[in-house]
Amino acid sequence: MSGNFSTPPTLVVVQLTGGNDALNTIVPYGEGLYYDMRRTVRIAQEDVLPIDDHFGFHPSMRAIKPFWDAGNMAIIAGVGYPNPNYSHFRSMDIWYTCEPDKIATDGWLGKTVHEIDPRAENVLTAVNFGRGLPRALSLAGVPVASVAQLDTYGLLTSLSSVPRRQSALEVFSCLYDDGWNDQGHPTEAPDTARPGDEVLRYMGQTGLDAQKGADILRTALGKYQSTVQYPNSSLAQSLKGIAQVKLADLGTRVFYTSLFGFDTHATQLPTHAKLWQEVSEGVAAFFDDLRAHDKADDVMMLIWSEFGRRVKDNGAGTDHGAGSIAFILGDHVKGGMYGEYPSLKPTDLTLGNLKYSVDFRSMYATVLDQWMHIESEPIVNGSFEEFAIV
Amino acid sequence: MVVAVRPPEARQLKGVELMAHLYRRAGFGATRDQLEAALARGYEVTVDELLHPELAPPLEEDLIYRYWPDMKESRQIDPAQSLWVYRMINTQRPLEEKMALFWHHLFATGFAKLNHAKVMTNQVAMLRRFGLGNFRTLLVEISRDPAMIFWLDNHTNTKRVHNENYGRELLELFSIGIGNYTEDDVKNCARAFTGWTLKPTIPAAQPYGRFDWEFEFRPDLHDYGEKMFLGERGRFDGTDIIDIIVRQPSTAQFLAMRLYKYFVSDTPDQSAIDQLANVGAESDYDIRSMLRWLFLSDEFQSEKAYYAKVKSPAEHVVGIMRLVEDFTFPKHGIRDIALECRYMGQDLMNPPSVEGWHVGKEWIDTGILVERINFAAAQVGDVGKPGVQKIVSRLRGMGELTPEQLVDACADLLGPLQLGDMTRAALVDFASKDGNLALTPGDRAAEERVGAMLSMIVATREFQLV
């Protein structure tokens, strides 16, 4: 159902950095080959949270399983692209830019934001919770706020004395005056044109936008009231920040955050378990919070990772592989398993890795066309078969 | 009567303005102490010193690796970046280091594809070694560089199956440029570089970590056939191609343009480019000679070049660290400093593509500006830092300061920085809230006021320029 919403649809993207082990996330516990290949790094049948008599969730996903039970979780298995790349950075970039064969710099979400807000009228159309800007959101001319922590976000945060910081922020907008007053006349008489002048003017606008964004974001905390308790983990706190901004109705349409640590070459069992507990509890708290405010209706979440991992374990962990698993969650999601869970038969593997069955661009296209109501082809660089997920 | 009116000539910089400008462009900036010492020596003497880094001591590498063994191996990109940022902060050979950065911008090679940080460190070391020498030699070195070979797929370029990636970019991006060669030239250039490959690489098996990649010429993979290239015919190999490239006038123009844009201004003056190209051609492409001409030219010393460019993140971060005189010795936290460059949009040794980073105003967007401002303000606002204490001392020596005097003195010591009227007025406004400033020794609150003013100044848009 791609219905009409009273508020425009929002997308929350959660990146699992490092290459999440798909086989231990949605475990094919009914498949003998799984136990043959995974001698050590395996989830026992009795530990799995069953979906049916063949597949089940990793036991740490207890908090997120209710989404599946309620029919609000789409599991997309075997996600990838032709000629899988096993380098974190290269594979990430491929997922970010939808260009598996060449190096590109424009991110799919950057292009999405540009479609939503072509004149960048709302500097908070996209907000990233994390430092630096993932290339997924990168596009020249598209402003994105990168927030490490909402309560400390802002300009000149190092000025510790509160009155001094207040005074500094008042003065800041004069430092970045863009040179034009309300009547459209220049406030400063232009000198003999210096090469730096045009850049100064551009920076003026950028500075004012940054301050505007920071000011507006600051109001989000003030407006926030909730009884939902978020766990203390970094992902949960980032998701809390996202909830706070979402609930403040600032017009943000794309949220992004990531959790690092999925590159489990060693000590996978305890590490992977802890990570999925963090993800599950964080995501559960996030949706609880939105639902408590009756604002979950227009939110869809995409959870993805840049590749899966090797079918055979290495005794303590797993090495880079292909065939990732992705999740799409939300009240308007038609729950179910999509895509074909890759075969574990040795003859079906490539270099010991799962073969992909769903191109990640199909997933993006589905989310863009059916949820965001944005034409996907120019963004994902092609036409891809979609799912009826919404 | 007709009166001919000539537009006012741009004035020539002098004194501390000129010296600071030189150090910012030819290096990563200098403290007021360093500038005064340089002024005593004189501009031309300083230029020559910068051009001869071999006269200054190199960094003590064994000291660095004793504290940070991970940097010696550079298994990941973070220690490699931290090492380079530490070097930039501490080098007594600033131009040598600036040239490594300049060439890295040009021969943009990215860790993301290589997945091997040590070979990037090795490439930067090569750029450092050859960066002020002969351009022809540098082109040969970069063609043999293992990181570059892998980056542009030349290890798959064989006589049986050509790969034109390196051959094309060598012409398009690294020398003569589009419009000065044909597709046949690309094809034959690629043929000439067949067999320029890597020794079989040792897999990255733990616990041995990464082994450096090494160049190898494989005669069995090389196409010895006759080639036509830029109008010349012969059984060319890569070195011959480079010889032909440097004979082209377009190479001189290309090199002059790149150097001019990087060191002088983004809006080059064609006659200056022509003159610089001439210097290049006549000196047999000696980079040192070209830079000497450049730094001594009227254009470089003109007000039009002054603060005419946007600082790259590396220049911003390293400049601030050199100013506050922190990390002059290995200690915890260097990685956070190096990561700042990444957060500001310049992931060292990992440019987004072979075209390198987009410079100028494209260095700035809302998120990046917040990062730049907050980083710089936090550093200079920390009055405990040695460099900031030195600024405080100088201010103390001036007696009681009015708000205007405080603003002007701080802007002077942070640059000297050119502030627009509105900027200056806003800063004076900020300072006026606390009245006059008397820096009696031990008065921490007074020192904090200086820290706050420095924070405000590095937050200005004028400070984003170089």
Side-chain angles (χ1 to χ4, degrees):
Chain A
M1 163 197 132
S2 51
N4 298 318
F5 301 102
S6 49
T7 46
T10 303
L11 178 66
V12 177
V13 180
V14 176
Q15 169 184 309
L16 305 180
T17 312
N20 170 49
D21 183 21
L23 279 176
N24 276 12
T25 306
I26 300 295
V27 184
Y29 73 95
E31 169 75 63
L33 272 173
Y34 167 71
Y35 291 104
D36 291 342
M37 305 284 244
R38 290 289 178 95
R39 292 309 181 105
T40 319
V41 185
R42 51 163 59 179
I43 309 295
Q45 282 185 358
E46 57 269 20
D47 292 333
V48 154
L49 307 173
I51 289 173
D52 55 28
D53 57 15
H54 200 85
F55 295 108
F57 288 93
H58 185 293
S60 288
M61 296 171 79
R62 199 165 297 278
I64 213 174
K65 185 161 178 293
F67 287 83
W68 171 263
D69 297 333
N72 288 333
M73 177 192 283
I75 299 172
I76 304 132
V79 194
Y81 50 89
N83 301 316
N85 193 296
Y86 304 108
S87 149
H88 293 293
F89 305 92
R90 195 54 210 117
S91 201
M92 279 269 168
D93 281 349
I94 291 171
W95 279 75
Y96 285 158
T97 60
C98 297
E99 287 284 8
D101 299 320
K102 61 178 204 237
I103 293 176
T105 53
D106 295 345
W108 74 285
L109 290 171
K111 290 187 196 172
T112 303
V113 172
H114 182 71
E115 273 308 300
I116 295 172
D117 185 9
R119 280 190 301 281
E121 285 162 2
N122 181 356
V123 298
L124 296 176
T125 304
V127 177
N128 171 47
F129 270 79
R131 291 191 77 186
L133 190 68
R135 193 173 293 183
L137 286 158
S138 173
L139 184 67
V142 171
V144 179
S146 274
V147 180
Q149 255 179 283
L150 197 57
D151 55 359
T152 54
Y153 181 73
L155 286 159
L156 295 167
T157 44
S158 56
L159 286 178
S160 49
S161 126
V162 173
R164 189 163 283 153
R165 178 139 184 258
Q166 202 47 47
S167 155
L169 292 173
E170 281 163 27
V171 152
F172 186 86
S173 47
C174 300
L175 297 179
Y176 281 81
D177 182 280
D178 62 2
W180 299 92
N181 65 17
D182 290 329
Q183 282 83 48
H185 299 298
T187 48
E188 266 193 0
D191 299 305
T192 45
R194 287 194 62 251
D197 281 352
E198 196 235 310
V199 175
L200 282 172
R201 247 189 294 275
Y202 166 76
M203 282 202 278
Q205 188 56 51
T206 310
L208 292 178
D209 283 347
Q211 184 169 34
K212 203 182 347 171
D215 285 344
I216 298 173
L217 274 175
R218 233 194 310 282
T219 65
L221 268 178
K223 294 185 195 174
Y224 179 71
Q225 273 189 323
S226 179
T227 53
V228 171
Q229 287 282 68
Y230 284 79
N232 219 8
S233 71
S234 79
L235 180 68
Q237 291 301 310
S238 294
L239 288 171
K240 181 177 179 184
I242 292 178
Q244 288 166 330
V245 177
K246 173 76 185 77
L247 292 169
D249 271 328
L250 303 176
T252 310
R253 302 283 308 281
V254 176
F255 288 97
Y256 203 97
T257 192
S258 31
L259 179 60
F260 182 83
F262 286 83
D263 191 23
T264 49
H265 288 276
T267 53
Q268 174 167 329
L269 287 172
T271 310
H272 198 229
K274 192 158 174 289
L275 287 166
W276 270 105
Q277 184 178 357
E278 186 170 338
V279 174
S280 306
E281 290 178 359
V283 170
F286 173 72
F287 273 97
D288 279 348
D289 205 0
L290 293 182
R291 289 200 187 103
H293 292 84
D294 209 12
K295 290 278 175 107
D297 195 55
D298 54 358
V299 173
M300 190 168 278
M301 178 182 281
L302 165 66
I303 305 176
W304 70 278
S305 194
E306 73 265 33
F307 41 64
R309 301 192 82 81
R310 194 72 48 80
V311 180
K312 245 202 194 124
D313 68 43
N314 67 29
T318 49
D319 301 316
H320 299 178
S324 183
I325 208 154
F327 298 89
I328 300 183
L329 309 170
D331 287 352
H332 291 277
V333 170
K334 230 185 264 152
M337 278 195 70
Y338 294 82
E340 210 186 286
Y341 200 98
S343 154
L344 274 73
K345 283 215 259 321
T347 44
D348 290 334
L349 303 180
T350 319
L351 297 175
N353 294 317
L354 300 169
K355 266 215 192 83
Y356 86 102
S357 61
V358 175
D359 193 298
F360 71 97
R361 291 165 286 183
S362 287
M363 221 172 52
Y364 286 179
T366 304
V367 169
L368 286 170
D369 286 319
Q370 296 174 38
W371 177 248
M372 300 296 277
H373 302 302
I374 288 172
E375 210 195 305
S376 68
E377 267 188 58
I379 293 179
V380 302
N381 299 322
S383 169
F384 294 87
E385 201 186 310
E386 300 182 16
F387 306 103
I389 273 180
V390 182
Chain B
M1 184 169 102
V2 173
V3 178
V5 178
R6 261 191 317 171
E9 299 256 327
R11 71 174 177 94
Q12 294 298 101
L13 303 166
K14 46 187 201 295
V16 74
E17 272 185 339
L18 176 61
M19 199 59 83
H21 173 67
L22 175 67
Y23 269 96
R24 273 193 307 269
R25 295 294 178 86
F28 300 92
T31 63
R32 186 47 57 98
D33 289 348
Q34 290 166 337
L35 291 176
E36 285 173 356
L39 279 169
R41 296 193 296 271
Y43 183 75
E44 202 167 321
V45 171
T46 306
V47 168
D48 280 319
E49 272 175 15
L50 288 167
L51 287 167
H52 288 278
E54 67 279 6
L55 297 175
L59 278 172
E60 280 189 65
E61 290 198 355
D62 50 355
L63 180 72
I64 297 175
Y65 300 141
R66 188 181 315 153
Y67 282 87
W68 292 316
D70 58 334
M71 288 188 190
K72 188 170 211 301
E73 295 219 16
S74 288
R75 289 192 188 199
Q76 301 293 337
I77 194 64
D78 288 9
Q81 290 173 337
S82 305
L83 174 62
W84 197 5
V85 169
Y86 181 82
R87 293 189 77 109
M88 287 192 267
I89 293 172
N90 288 287
T91 181
Q92 289 181 265
R93 302 177 170 187
L95 182 56
E96 181 181 79
E97 210 56 52
K98 198 74 185 281
M99 288 313 288
L101 187 62
F102 167 81
W103 292 118
H104 177 50
H105 270 258
L106 176 61
F107 300 127
T109 309
F111 166 78
K113 178 173 173 178
L114 272 44
N115 222 15
H116 191 316
K118 180 73 176 357
V119 296
M120 276 314 300
T121 300
N122 292 348
Q123 186 192 88
V124 173
M126 179 275 288
L127 298 174
R128 193 178 287 124
R129 245 190 337 269
F130 293 94
L132 277 169
N134 180 278
F135 184 56
R136 182 204 164 275
T137 307
L138 188 56
L139 284 179
V140 173
E141 287 296 323
I142 196 72
S143 302
R144 295 167 57 100
D145 178 73
M148 174 59 78
I149 287 176
F150 189 87
W151 173 244
L152 292 182
D153 308 311
N154 209 59
H155 56 302
T156 68
N157 183 23
T158 66
K159 70 179 177 198
R160 250 180 291 282
V161 183
H162 296 160
N163 184 304
E164 290 179 1
N165 204 0
Y166 184 68
R168 181 181 305 280
E169 306 304 2
L170 174 62
L171 302 178
E172 182 180 331
L173 298 174
F174 303 159
S175 65
I176 54 185
I178 286 190
N180 294 310
Y181 57 88
T182 66
E183 281 304 304
D184 278 336
D185 290 324
V186 170
K187 194 150 165 275
N188 287 302
C189 181
R191 286 176 62 206
F193 281 100
T194 48
W196 287 49
T197 182
L198 304 172
K199 284 202 179 119
T201 54
I202 299 170
Q206 303 187 16
Y208 301 112
R210 298 276 191 187
F211 285 81
D212 290 0
W213 297 341
E214 287 175 52
F215 172 80
E216 179 178 51
F217 174 67
R218 288 275 303 273
D220 55 313
L221 300 176
H222 182 69
D223 179 344
Y224 283 97
E226 196 175 70
K227 304 150 186 98
M228 271 291 284
F229 180 69
L230 295 180
E232 302 192 28
R233 186 194 297 274
R235 297 186 185 282
F236 302 133
D237 78 344
T239 344
D240 299 319
I241 292 290
I242 290 172
D243 285 335
I244 298 172
I245 285 175
V246 300
R247 282 205 281 276
Q248 309 303 310
S250 45
T251 300
Q253 278 284 320
F254 159 82
L255 191 54
M257 176 75 77
R258 291 300 296 227
L259 286 169
Y260 194 95
K261 279 179 131 167
Y262 192 81
F263 288 101
V264 184
S265 120
D266 290 327
T267 45
D269 177 71
Q270 188 57 46
S271 85
I273 303 275
D274 289 338
Q275 289 175 70
L276 184 57
N278 244 8
V279 175
E282 278 168 18
S283 68
D284 198 25
Y285 291 101
D286 180 46
I287 304 292
R288 188 177 275 111
S289 302
M290 291 177 82
L291 285 175
R292 187 170 202 282
W293 183 90
L294 197 83
F295 293 136
L296 296 177
S297 71
D298 286 342
E299 285 80 6
F300 180 77
Q301 300 179 53
S302 152
E303 198 192 11
K304 285 169 84 166
Y306 197 48
Y307 286 113
K309 294 175 59 66
V310 178
K311 260 189 280 196
S312 62
E315 288 170 291
H316 184 65
V317 170
V318 173
I320 284 284
M321 297 316 289
R322 284 178 83 104
L323 184 77
V324 303
E325 299 186 36
D326 199 0
F327 285 96
T328 51
F329 193 85
K331 65 174 186 181
H332 285 306
I334 187 69
R335 180 174 170 267
D336 292 329
I337 306 296
L339 285 181
E340 287 289 344
C341 291
R342 186 186 296 173
Y343 300 145
M344 293 176 197
Q346 184 172 28
D347 206 4
L348 291 168
M349 293 178 277
N350 197 26
S353 77
V354 68
E355 289 172 1
W357 290 286
H358 289 190
V359 300
K361 71 181 200 202
E362 287 193 61
W363 275 130
I364 307 279
D365 70 30
T366 44
I368 285 172
L369 192 56
V370 174
E371 198 66 57
R372 284 168 80 121
I373 288 172
N374 285 348
F375 165 77
Q379 293 294 330
V380 301
D382 181 356
V383 297
K385 300 243 165 144
V388 181
Q389 275 298 309
K390 287 191 181 160
I391 292 177
V392 168
S393 282
R394 281 181 180 259
L395 292 173
R396 187 176 292 125
M398 297 178 189
E400 185 166 308
L401 299 165
T402 65
E404 288 87 359
Q405 287 169 330
L406 176 62
V407 171
D408 290 337
C410 287
D412 180 57
L413 292 172
L414 283 175
L417 200 62
Q418 244 189 12
L419 299 176
D421 292 336
M422 291 203 69
T423 303
R424 189 179 173 279
L427 291 170
V428 169
D429 205 19
F430 176 71
S432 301
K433 300 233 167 45
D434 294 302
N436 285 4
L437 177 65
L439 278 164
T440 44
D443 185 350
R444 190 63 176 206
E447 291 188 9
E448 297 285 345
R449 275 194 64 192
V450 175
M453 176 50 62
L454 295 175
S455 299
M456 291 305 291
I457 295 178
V458 301
T460 62
R461 42 185 163 156
E462 287 86 345
F463 192 78
Q464 309 308 319
L465 303 175
V466 67

